[in-house]
Amino acid sequence: MTDNSSVWKSIGPGSIGVVQGIVYEEDIWAGNISVCFCGEQERWVGPSAHLEKVNKLTNGQRVRVKASVTHPRFGWSGHIHSSIGVISAIDADGKLRIFTPSGSKSWMLDPFEVEVVEQEELRIGDWVRVKPSVSNPTHHWGDVTNSSMGVVHRIVDDGLWVAFCFLERLWLCKNWEMERVRPFVVGDKVKIKTGLVSPRWGWGMETHTSKGQVVGVDANGKLRIKFQWREGKPWIGDPADIVHDETENPKPES
């Protein structure tokens, strides 16, 4: 509905619906359109001048409730403004059924209440981790946590198979559950993460003050690091235990 359109039942300026057809009167079209609006059983019939086309929402898109919406028409269903879900179905009137990892059933929303959350497509070889907003991944955590860093090895539809250095098999998840992170490459200057209690494969001779350089990166993200003043074999580390040393290795421009 356009900004200058009048209120009809629960529908008003900004409301989003789905066109059902053109209304004829004695085989003559006077400019009226029939529209199904979310939440109303009766169809709205009125001048096409009161309508404007909007971008169509589709299954699979990631959405969240607009900051301007305080009380969604069908309730919060235990979610909040920062909750991000995936459109799993769209009813004939435009009503959205949203799937979220934290929800046991579909969360219903009016299309007027949501905004699309754009996400750059993940590719094979990308370094990723589970998004902080995901509390229960679709295929469960296993030994993976929000801090775990892995490498995408396979993509099929919306499924990702990710290699983690501590798992023998690829870990399955949904692409919208993951976010891209900065990779480690040979030559990066690094140090052990502040506050880390115990590295996955032990400290060896190193401490929190140790600084080194990445000399090897396995396909599953396992790092081989040559620390200063140390002889012998490289130190083996989980990328989740390591951070870039920004004083030696400034973050590249995005």
Side-chain angles (χ1 to χ4, degrees):
M1 299 284 280
T2 58
D3 292 338
N4 61 355
S5 59
S6 57
V7 174
W8 174 77
K9 296 189 174 182
S10 64
I11 306 306
S15 294
I16 297 175
V18 180
V19 173
Q20 301 299 306
I22 295 173
V23 179
Y24 288 90
E25 296 179 6
E26 297 181 356
D27 296 330
I28 297 176
W29 183 53
N32 287 338
I33 300 288
S34 172
V35 181
C36 269
F37 280 103
C38 178
E40 292 294 343
Q41 293 185 347
E42 184 181 347
R43 294 181 181 180
W44 176 90
V45 175
S48 58
H50 290 177
L51 303 171
E52 60 184 5
K53 189 174 182 179
V54 295
N55 291 330
K56 184 179 179 180
L57 295 169
T58 59
N59 288 347
Q61 284 185 303
R62 300 170 67 247
V63 296
R64 63 185 167 208
V65 175
K66 296 175 182 176
S68 59
V69 176
T70 55
H71 300 289
R73 178 191 287 266
F74 305 108
W76 284 103
S77 298
H79 300 89
I80 57 178
H81 276 107
S82 61
S83 300
I84 296 177
V86 177
I87 299 176
S88 60
I90 303 176
D91 292 355
D93 62 357
K95 183 190 300 174
L96 306 177
R97 297 181 185 272
I98 311 296
F99 171 81
T100 60
S102 60
S104 58
K105 59 181 181 180
S106 291
W107 176 25
M108 294 188 296
L109 289 171
D110 186 319
F112 168 71
E113 299 168 340
V114 306
E115 60 186 8
V116 175
V117 180
E118 299 293 347
Q119 175 178 311
E120 187 176 350
E121 184 177 351
L122 294 173
R123 298 180 176 85
I124 292 175
D126 282 344
W127 284 59
V128 295
R129 68 181 169 202
V130 180
K131 294 176 180 176
S133 59
V134 175
S135 57
N136 292 298
T138 303
H139 300 289
H140 310 297
W141 285 106
D143 294 325
V144 175
T145 68
N146 282 111
S147 63
S148 302
M149 296 173 62
V151 182
V152 178
H153 273 231
R154 184 184 178 196
I155 302 176
V156 178
D157 297 327
D158 64 347
L160 298 182
W161 278 260
V162 181
F164 289 98
C165 64
F166 51 86
L167 296 179
E168 293 184 1
R169 296 183 178 183
L170 298 179
W171 186 74
L172 175 61
C173 59
K174 297 294 186 181
N175 57 14
W176 46 266
E177 294 174 334
M178 309 299 285
E179 63 183 4
R180 186 182 286 107
V181 295
R182 182 181 177 184
F184 287 97
V185 297
V186 172
D188 280 349
K189 303 296 179 62
V190 296
K191 59 185 178 180
I192 296 173
K193 184 180 294 183
T194 301
L196 182 67
V197 176
S198 179
R200 183 171 296 278
W201 292 292
W203 285 101
M205 298 291 290
E206 307 311 324
T207 68
H208 281 111
T209 61
S210 300
K211 295 187 176 184
Q213 185 173 15
V214 176
V215 295
V217 182
D218 290 1
N220 60 10
K222 183 186 293 182
L223 302 179
R224 302 175 189 279
I225 301 170
K226 181 69 174 177
F227 281 104
Q228 295 174 349
W229 325 121
R230 304 296 183 189
E231 300 295 334
K233 294 182 179 180
W235 187 85
I236 306 299
D238 183 333
D241 297 338
I242 302 298
V243 294
H244 291 88
D245 185 357
E246 303 299 354
T247 61
E248 299 286 340
N249 192 51
K251 186 174 181 179
E253 294 290 336
S254 57

